[in-house]
Amino acid sequence: MSGDGEATTDGSTAQSNEAYGRKAFKRSRSHFADRITADGAHGWPVEPGRYRLVISRACPWASRAAISRRLLGLEDALSLAVTDPLQDDRSWRFTLDPDGRDPVLGIRYLHEAYDAREKEYPGGVSVPAIVDVPSGRLVTNDYQQLTLDLATEWSALHRPGAPDLYPEALREEIDEVADGVYRDLNNGVYRAGFATGQQEYEEACGDVFRRLALLSERLSTRRYLVGESITEADIRLFTTLVRFDAVYHGHFKCNRHKLTEDPVLWAYARDLYQTPGFGDTVDFDHVKRHYYQVHTGINPTGIVPVGPDLHGWLTPHRREELGGRPFGDGTPPGPVPAAEVVPAGHRP
């Protein structure tokens, strides 16, 4: 990975204690923030088949895009590339594909699409990334905006019955909830995991569990975070919760309690996991191998834990008793395309 310090799933870096002193973890901003819009105002018009979404199933930020794409039925309009969960110093690799090349882009490493856009730019190579297939150039790595645009700008290509993941009447509340989730939880676990000082770690860990308690209280009387159906806010929370016991509890030392020890959040997470479009995008093998084998500063042995037991993800949750309609006036997505099915053994 390019950049100083130790690479995270999205290309941000944790500054090393030796080189920089006790400097807090700081997430890199998306360097390429172009938008693909219905009117093409940013130079990138929505066109079926033109772009390729590159993800790692290990990365929570990339997983947002994978879930949104599934729920909205964009599989035929926006093709998917899945990288190896293990990077090397040349960035995310396409070693899962025949001959180690992405079959559409023809590249071995994601940095090649970055270089086609801006040669040797000073930043990490991150996922999710959308690449323009005809030119091979990176379009955007703006993980915060990307899913919002899939929900709104790509609407003409949504499947019939696609849910409204960012309803206009609820956007202010969705943004407010998602901001707290991002600050204290999505990013908070990284701040705790890559902390180089005790106080820094304890403050980050405190933020994580304070936010979890607030979310547990909020979800004790409602099935979803905002409104009566799944929204962008739920997607952003789920991608951290589904990784919590597998990696954040132990690897990032967020061990005040496990997700499974909070009855409300554990039931909420299972509800979403069992909803088509969520659990069928999750690869626990990729998640665990990435965190435990790439973050050598935290886990120098590279040993990957055998647990936790995943079968609980499929147990009854009873969240339907709170009401709500998962897809609103829409319908569930169809079957996962054969080429995108998570392998047996990587899921419950």
Side-chain angles (χ1 to χ4, degrees):
M1 294 291 293
S2 55
D4 297 321
E6 184 168 357
T8 70
T9 50
D10 70 341
S12 301
T13 56
Q15 306 299 337
S16 80
N17 199 22
E18 291 181 351
Y20 297 91
R22 294 195 178 280
K23 187 172 182 179
F25 169 82
K26 185 176 182 180
R27 182 164 301 285
S28 304
R29 297 187 60 162
S30 297
H31 184 74
F32 301 101
D34 289 6
R35 295 177 59 193
I36 301 171
T37 59
D39 61 7
H42 295 257
W44 303 100
V46 171
E47 293 180 16
R50 175 171 174 176
Y51 306 101
R52 188 155 175 83
L53 173 65
V54 181
I55 68 164
S56 163
R57 293 200 187 276
C59 175
W61 322 101
S63 293
R64 295 179 183 178
I67 292 169
S68 296
R69 174 178 172 272
R70 276 276 293 136
L71 293 175
L72 298 171
L74 289 170
E75 290 96 332
D76 292 336
L78 178 63
S79 66
L80 183 71
V82 178
T83 68
D84 190 306
L86 304 182
Q87 309 121 298
D88 61 24
D89 58 2
R90 292 164 292 186
S91 81
W92 296 99
R93 313 177 292 179
F94 294 103
T95 50
L96 303 180
D97 295 304
D99 301 321
R101 291 185 182 274
D102 179 81
V104 174
L105 300 174
I107 58 178
R108 293 187 181 275
Y109 296 92
L110 182 55
H111 81 76
E112 296 174 56
Y114 277 66
D115 287 347
R117 171 69 183 273
E118 183 179 324
K119 193 70 174 175
E120 298 180 353
Y121 89 100
V125 177
S126 65
V127 289
I130 292 185
V131 179
D132 177 48
V133 174
S135 68
R137 298 169 62 208
L138 177 76
V139 176
T140 181
N141 66 351
D142 189 349
Y143 62 93
Q144 296 281 42
Q145 185 63 43
L146 193 156
T147 51
L148 299 180
D149 284 343
L150 291 181
T152 56
E153 298 294 331
W154 290 67
S155 58
L157 299 177
H158 290 177
R159 64 178 174 85
D164 187 350
L165 300 176
Y166 197 47
E168 193 164 357
L170 298 177
R171 288 180 187 178
E172 185 175 350
E173 186 177 1
I174 291 171
D175 292 345
E176 180 182 0
V177 171
D179 180 67
V181 168
Y182 170 80
R183 183 182 62 250
D184 295 335
L185 190 57
N186 298 149
N187 199 46
V189 293
Y190 281 84
R191 289 170 43 229
F194 286 107
T196 57
Q198 188 69 33
Q199 181 178 351
E200 176 194 343
Y201 157 72
E202 290 185 8
E203 289 175 354
C205 201
D207 289 342
V208 167
F209 286 96
R210 177 179 59 84
R211 182 60 57 181
L212 286 174
L214 291 171
L215 291 165
S216 183
E217 181 180 5
R218 182 183 183 94
L219 289 164
S220 64
T221 57
R222 55 196 303 166
R223 190 172 181 184
Y224 303 109
L225 282 173
V226 181
E228 297 297 313
S229 304
I230 292 164
T231 67
E232 176 79 14
D234 297 292
I235 297 172
R236 297 190 179 203
L237 175 56
F238 173 79
T239 58
T240 294
L241 294 184
V242 79
R243 289 163 174 77
F244 200 88
D245 287 4
V247 290
Y248 301 145
H249 178 270
H251 185 59
F252 278 178
K253 306 180 185 69
C254 295
N255 61 357
R256 187 174 294 174
H257 62 73
K258 296 179 179 178
L259 174 66
T260 54
E261 294 169 350
D262 184 309
V264 172
L265 291 180
W266 176 222
Y268 167 81
R270 299 200 317 275
D271 185 7
L272 290 180
Y273 185 88
Q274 294 170 32
T275 299
F278 282 83
D280 52 33
T281 69
V282 177
D283 188 318
F284 283 104
D285 176 76
H286 281 204
V287 169
K288 289 169 58 177
R289 286 200 290 128
H290 172 83
Y291 281 90
Y292 285 103
Q293 293 186 315
V294 171
H295 299 161
T296 54
I298 299 175
N299 186 40
T301 65
I303 293 173
V304 180
V306 295
D309 184 355
L310 301 178
H311 291 93
W313 284 100
L314 301 181
T315 59
H317 52 76
R318 301 183 62 179
R319 293 281 296 178
E320 64 277 359
E321 295 174 7
L322 294 173
R325 298 174 298 156
F327 305 101
D329 294 329
T331 58
V336 179
E340 298 178 13
V341 172
V342 174
H346 294 198
R347 48 192 166 87

